[in-house]
Amino acid sequence: MEFFSDPTLIVTLSVVGLLAGFIDAVAGGGGLLTVPALLTSGLPPHIVLGTNKLSASFASFTASMTFFKKRLFNPLFWVQAAIATAIGALIGTIVVNQISAESLEKVLPLVILVCAIYTMTVKSATEKINQLPQVTTRLKVMQWIQGSVLGFYDGVAGPGTGTFWTVSSLALYKMNILLSSGLARSMNFVSNFTSLLTFIYLGQVNFILGLSMGLFMILGSWLGAHSAIKFGNRFIRPIFILVVMLMAIKLAIDAWF
C-alpha cells in the first residue's frame, strides 16, 4: 500500500492519464499507456485491469459526450450496438481470469497492422461520407456482431478497443473517420463502464489510483475530442495511423520477444 504515500507515482500516473486521454479521444489506444503505468504501482494484474477501467470510463464518457453534443453520435441509431457491447463486455470481464491470452497476444499485432493498412487505403472512399448508413436488417446484424466481439475483447483485455471500433466502423458502415470516431468513443464508454461495474463487484478496483488518473484523463479526453472535431479528418488520420503502428510494434515486441 506504499503507493498511496508516493507523490511521484501519483504525478506520473496523472501525466500519463492526461496524454492517454488525449490520444484515446483522437485515435484510441490510450490503454497501452495506462496499463503499463499502473503496473509500476505494484498492483496485481487483475486489479490493474479493474483500476484502468475506472480511469478509462472517465475519459471515454467525456469524449463520447463531446461527440454527442456536436451531433457526431446518434445514440438511438446505435442502440443495438450498445446493447451488444454491454453484453460482450460483461461476459468478457467474467471470463478474463479463466482463459489464456497467449494466442491473442501473438495474433493481435498482425490484426492491428492489417487495420493500419486498411485505414491508409480507404481514405478516398470514406472521408467524404458524412452521414449514417441506411437502417437495414444487415445493419442491425453488423451492429450485434461488432458490438459483442469488441465488447468481449474490451472486457478480456482492453487496450486498442477504441482503435478497433474506428477501423471496423470505417469498413462496415463506410462513414468518414470523424463519425467513426464518435461511434468508437461512445461504444468504448459502454464497454468500459460495464466492465468497471463487474470489476467493482469482484473487488478488483483501486479507487485512489483510478480516480487520480481518471481526473487527468478527463482533461486529456476533452482536449483530444475538441481537437479532433475542430480539425477533422486531416488531424485524426495521421495521429490514428501513428498510434496504430506504435500499438502493433509494442504488442509484437511484448508477444514475440
Side-chain angles (χ1 to χ4, degrees):
M1 305 294 282
E2 67 272 8
F3 44 77
F4 290 150
S5 59
D6 186 351
T8 302
L9 177 60
I10 298 296
V11 171
T12 301
L13 291 179
S14 298
V15 173
V16 170
L18 180 67
L19 181 59
F22 183 90
I23 292 174
D24 213 43
V26 175
L32 289 172
L33 295 177
T34 57
V35 171
L38 284 167
L39 284 171
T40 65
S41 69
L43 291 174
H46 291 108
I47 296 182
V48 165
L49 292 177
T51 303
N52 183 62
K53 290 303 179 187
L54 175 58
S55 58
S57 293
F58 280 101
S60 55
F61 177 75
T62 302
S64 63
M65 286 302 297
T66 303
F67 278 93
F68 171 72
K69 290 178 180 178
K70 297 295 183 179
R71 298 184 179 180
L72 293 169
F73 173 69
N74 183 342
L76 293 178
F77 187 89
W78 299 108
V79 64
Q80 298 200 48
I83 295 172
T85 300
I87 294 173
L90 175 62
I91 296 173
T93 306
I94 290 174
V95 303
V96 68
N97 293 322
Q98 304 176 28
I99 64 172
S100 170
E102 184 177 351
S103 298
L104 178 62
E105 290 174 353
K106 293 184 181 299
V107 173
L108 198 55
L110 297 177
V111 175
I112 294 177
L113 282 173
V114 171
C115 292
I117 294 171
Y118 176 82
T119 303
M120 288 184 283
T121 58
V122 298
K123 179 177 180 179
S124 60
T126 60
E127 277 197 353
K128 296 179 181 179
I129 303 177
N130 57 0
Q131 60 185 16
L132 296 172
Q134 280 189 317
V135 178
T136 62
T137 301
R138 181 173 179 271
L139 174 70
K140 295 177 182 179
V141 171
M142 288 192 300
Q143 286 189 28
W144 273 94
I145 294 174
Q146 182 190 30
S148 58
V149 171
L150 294 181
F152 179 83
Y153 169 74
D154 200 18
V156 170
T161 304
T163 306
F164 290 140
W165 266 106
T166 303
V167 172
S168 59
S169 297
L170 286 168
L172 292 173
Y173 310 121
K174 308 303 180 185
M175 304 183 300
N176 65 24
I177 199 168
L178 195 56
L179 286 174
S180 297
S181 295
L183 174 61
R185 302 292 80 77
S186 301
M187 293 301 103
N188 208 178
F189 169 69
V190 171
S191 56
N192 279 336
F193 190 66
T194 302
S195 186
L196 170 62
L197 293 178
T198 309
F199 275 119
I200 290 175
Y201 176 78
L202 296 172
Q204 295 177 340
V205 178
N206 183 295
F207 288 94
I208 293 180
L209 294 184
L211 290 172
S212 299
M213 180 177 282
L215 291 176
F216 281 85
M217 288 188 74
I218 290 176
L219 176 58
S221 183
W222 184 87
L223 292 171
H226 278 82
S227 298
I229 293 169
K230 180 177 181 179
F231 299 108
N233 292 328
R234 288 182 297 177
F235 175 76
I236 299 175
R237 182 169 294 278
I239 295 180
F240 179 75
I241 293 174
L242 176 63
V243 169
V244 168
M245 297 302 292
L246 291 175
M247 283 171 56
I249 294 171
K250 183 186 184 302
L251 290 173
I253 292 174
D254 291 345
W256 300 337
F257 299 100

